Amino acid sequence: MNNSENKVIDESIQGQALNVNSKNTGSKKLFLESYGCQMNFSDSEIVASILIDKGYSTTQNFEEADVIFVNTCAIREGAESKVRNRLNDFKRVKQKNPKALVGVLGCMAERLKAQFLEQEKLVDIVVGPDAYRDLPNLLEQAEDGHRAINVILSKEETYADLTPVRLGTNGVTAFISITRGCDNMCSFCVVPFTRGRERSRDPETILHEAKDLFAQGYREVTLLGQNVDSYLWTGGGLKKEQLTEEQKAASLNFAQLLEKVALLDPDLRVRFSTSHPKDMTDEVLHIMAKYENICNNIHLPVQSGNSNVLEKMNRGYSREWYLERMEAIRRIIPDCGISTDIITGFCGETEEEHKETISLMEKVQYDFAYMFMYSERPKTLAERKYTDDVPEEVKKRRLQEVVDLQRKHSGIRTEQGVGKIHRVLVEGFSKKSDDMLMGRNSQNSVVVFPREHYKKGDYVNVFVDACTSSTLIGKVVS
Ligand code: SAH
Ligand code: SF4
Ligand code: F3S
């Protein structure tokens, strides 16, 4: 999903501890750390909201916490090892304060369920992504000395009525979940098992949340879902498959939702992630082209450039289909930033098939990419049906080739931004100096420039006259 630089993410996003500026008055202290994708970080904001409502205050120091929650990711083996290592650190807290509780939330909790309690003696509470409303209950059970678990997946839960407590926020950009779960069953992927069936959130609650954020000074929202293109609000209850043509026509699809959010205010930027190549329609592209405040940026994971591998991955599209979608983007939104996800060394991937990923990258020239070696996940279709037979060193070498090529392409794409004026939403100080501000252009590239009298939340036009490999550098012009 959305990120500022190209990187190989082997173990998903780094763990990030809770950082909240809201009412910190409760007597019991909560430490919450999140791993994985933006949806997980967004869920942590729901968890924080539920617990602050129950009188908890927050801390960024786990050693003084009464409750430690880790919101986990199961996407690759590396993501899980990271969490297990982290749990070791929390042993110290229990030694000092035997009453302290440790809870594992999210995708790894859902995947391992009660096994977690058996394997990790330290853990008191295990909660899956659809059971966060039950947290206060589960905490009470755990306080009474029982081990508490709720990993029930729901077909309806979207936490639509809860107001997330924004964590680690810059006060300018925020995420809004629009769907939960995934119905796609890509053969490599654990998400359908950890997050359950896909469901769309009531658009009124999405619009309300966006409006509320704008009123608080936020200037950009990113609509989140595993496959945003399959968003469909049918008035509640009914699944897509059950709809008559008439009911389908009366329901709200992703393009229509996007338009409604864009219409809230021209000064509210809108982004979304993740698009799925099999479902991304021209209707969405036309809406993007129509509204200035919908950012020209699409994250369109390809996974592989070879049709045979894509079929084994059960992605629902071929190389040709993907390239046709790319052409549609270039035609309808000529200056669109495009990023992707790539997996190297999937079951049976030959050298020729790998070369097709390389040649597809050459054709597209992505702005950014997240690149991974295939990691077999228990219970997935690929685990049951195919052999994970590409040797580790071959996976690694192919990954390196992909990474090197992407680095070159990112450099080229960044250089193309030099000599032009970019509309930038200011997000805060640049990493290197408080005399410089940073923001992003519509394509999601980072732009830095002298601070002068500008502040975060401002829109500025920056003339870019220099760049590093991934950052544009310039000055504000009127
Ligand atoms: N819903 C998004 C992806 C969510 S997971 C989509 O369909 O594109 C984020 C990325 O992790 C995937 O795009 C994929 O590139 C990678 N990934 C998922 N499962 C993986 C596995 N078993 N091994 C390696 N990478 C994996
Ligand atoms: Fe996983 Fe595929 Fe769903 Fe993405 S679309 S979450 S890769 S099953
Ligand atoms: Fe990880 Fe779950 Fe997201 S497995 S990538 S945290 S949906």
Side-chain angles (χ1 to χ4, degrees):
M1 293 185 167
N2 170 7
N3 200 15
S4 62
E5 52 189 332
N6 311 301
K7 40 182 154 177
V8 185
I9 300 195
D10 233 358
E11 279 82 38
S12 308
I13 299 164
Q14 284 288 331
Q16 195 181 73
L18 169 152
N19 171 16
V20 55
N21 307 321
S22 65
K23 42 185 177 181
N24 255 344
T25 51
S27 55
K28 285 203 178 142
K29 288 199 167 74
L30 162 74
F31 175 85
L32 170 57
E33 190 167 80
S34 309
Y35 292 81
C37 65
Q38 281 159 355
M39 303 222 54
N40 233 29
F41 281 76
S42 175
D43 280 3
S44 288
E45 300 186 330
I46 296 285
V47 169
S49 154
I50 291 170
L51 292 187
I52 288 174
D53 214 42
K54 286 285 165 198
Y56 280 80
S57 66
T58 56
T59 173
Q60 288 192 65
N61 174 8
F62 70 78
E63 309 229 7
E64 62 166 37
D66 300 291
V67 174
I68 295 175
F69 279 157
V70 203
N71 196 357
T72 60
C73 174
I75 201 83
R76 285 168 292 276
E77 206 179 321
E80 293 200 356
S81 332
K82 203 171 226 172
V83 168
R84 289 197 196 274
N85 289 338
R86 189 62 173 145
L87 286 176
N88 269 330
D89 297 340
F90 300 146
K91 282 198 179 126
R92 280 212 303 278
V93 181
K94 284 242 176 165
Q95 281 156 3
K96 241 172 56 188
N97 172 10
K99 280 195 168 159
L101 296 173
V102 174
V104 176
L105 318 179
C107 291
M108 198 178 167
E110 189 63 51
R111 190 178 85 70
L112 291 163
K113 304 187 169 63
Q115 264 182 59
F116 223 122
L117 294 173
E118 288 145 28
Q119 287 169 3
E120 302 279 349
K121 296 284 174 248
L122 171 88
V123 174
D124 308 286
I125 306 172
V126 172
V127 193
D130 284 346
Y132 297 143
R133 285 184 205 267
D134 201 21
L135 278 171
N137 243 339
L138 294 165
L139 277 164
E140 266 178 38
Q141 277 180 40
E143 276 162 7
D144 290 344
H146 307 289
R147 295 181 126 194
I149 176 164
N150 186 344
V151 286
I152 297 171
L153 285 172
S154 155
K155 286 190 182 142
E156 288 92 31
E157 181 64 271
T158 58
Y159 303 111
D161 56 314
L162 297 179
T163 307
V165 169
R166 303 293 161 184
L167 304 173
T169 178
N170 57 13
V172 180
T173 61
F175 296 107
I176 302 182
S177 288
I178 64 163
T179 67
R180 294 183 71 81
C182 184
D183 280 354
N184 278 332
M185 287 291 176
C186 300
S187 64
F188 53 79
C189 185
V190 77
V191 172
F193 302 93
T194 63
R195 297 220 154 223
R197 297 305 301 267
E198 183 192 88
R199 66 222 93 124
S200 297
R201 179 176 167 190
D202 183 339
E204 286 311 317
T205 67
I206 296 169
L207 292 168
H208 184 269
E209 193 172 323
K211 239 190 266 176
D212 201 42
L213 285 164
F214 188 77
Q216 289 174 48
Y218 286 83
R219 289 294 173 264
E220 182 182 296
V221 292
T222 302
L223 308 179
L224 289 182
Q226 292 299 350
N227 174 359
V228 289
D229 300 290
S230 69
Y231 177 90
L232 194 72
W233 178 251
T234 60
L238 287 177
K239 289 295 290 177
K240 270 181 223 173
E241 311 79 72
Q242 303 168 323
L243 297 178
T244 62
E245 283 310 308
E246 236 168 70
Q247 284 169 321
K248 229 178 225 168
S251 45
L252 191 85
N253 69 18
F254 179 59
Q256 293 161 328
L257 173 73
L258 194 57
E259 179 163 39
K260 278 181 183 285
V261 181
L263 282 169
L264 287 175
D265 196 294
D267 276 344
L268 181 67
R269 268 187 174 180
V270 191
R271 298 184 188 276
F272 52 86
S273 189
T274 302
S275 304
H276 197 299
K278 82 177 162 63
D279 294 321
M280 192 194 64
T281 60
D282 284 1
E283 189 190 359
V284 168
L285 300 178
H286 286 298
I287 293 290
M288 289 177 75
K290 185 171 167 192
Y291 294 94
E292 187 63 37
N293 58 331
I294 303 179
C295 290
N296 291 347
N297 180 228
I298 297 181
H299 185 61
L300 197 67
V302 67
Q303 315 298 0
S304 162
N306 172 267
S307 294
N308 180 43
V309 174
L310 286 170
E311 196 180 330
K312 281 164 75 180
M313 286 178 163
N314 203 24
R315 284 291 285 178
Y317 56 86
S318 62
R319 174 188 174 95
E320 291 68 34
W321 172 279
Y322 186 92
L323 288 172
E324 189 283 323
R325 290 290 73 207
M326 287 307 308
E327 268 171 35
I329 297 173
R330 301 275 190 230
R331 186 173 67 242
I332 301 168
I333 315 163
D335 60 343
C336 195
I338 293 167
S339 53
T340 200
D341 294 348
I342 290 171
I343 297 177
T344 64
F346 184 64
C347 311
E349 186 189 63
T350 64
E351 207 52 38
E352 285 64 40
E353 289 169 340
H354 162 65
K355 289 212 172 90
E356 283 211 65
T357 298
I358 298 280
S359 75
L360 182 133
M361 290 174 75
E362 293 278 16
K363 267 190 179 229
V364 177
Q365 291 219 343
Y366 293 106
D367 295 75
F368 310 119
Y370 294 95
M371 299 155 280
F372 314 97
M373 285 192 286
Y374 173 58
S375 161
E376 186 176 80
R377 306 311 292 135
K379 287 201 187 142
T380 55
L381 212 71
E383 189 242 9
R384 286 181 279 134
K385 210 168 149 189
Y386 305 118
T387 319
D388 180 12
D389 55 0
V390 177
E392 179 89 0
E393 43 313 344
V394 176
K395 283 183 186 171
K396 226 182 229 166
R397 194 252 305 144
R398 290 181 187 166
L399 177 65
Q400 196 56 52
E401 287 175 20
V402 164
V403 167
D404 290 344
L405 183 60
Q406 184 50 45
R407 194 167 289 141
K408 182 177 130 198
H409 288 164
S410 298
I412 295 173
R413 296 285 290 164
T414 309
E415 270 172 30
Q416 287 169 355
V418 177
K420 293 182 184 138
I421 293 175
H422 299 253
R423 183 105 176 121
V424 173
L425 171 62
V426 184
E427 292 182 20
F429 294 118
S430 88
K431 262 189 231 145
K432 291 199 182 129
S433 152
D434 282 0
D435 295 330
M436 302 286 279
L437 291 175
M438 73 72 67
R440 281 164 209 273
N441 64 8
S442 177
Q443 290 75 11
N444 211 27
S445 297
V446 173
V447 182
V448 302
F449 52 92
R451 177 177 165 187
E452 299 176 67
H453 58 278
Y454 301 103
K455 57 183 192 314
K456 63 182 187 177
D458 287 349
Y459 284 98
V460 289
N461 293 323
V462 178
F463 177 75
V464 167
D465 55 7
C467 68
T468 66
S469 60
S470 60
T471 305
L472 297 167
I473 306 162
K475 267 193 204 70
V476 176
V477 290
S478 57

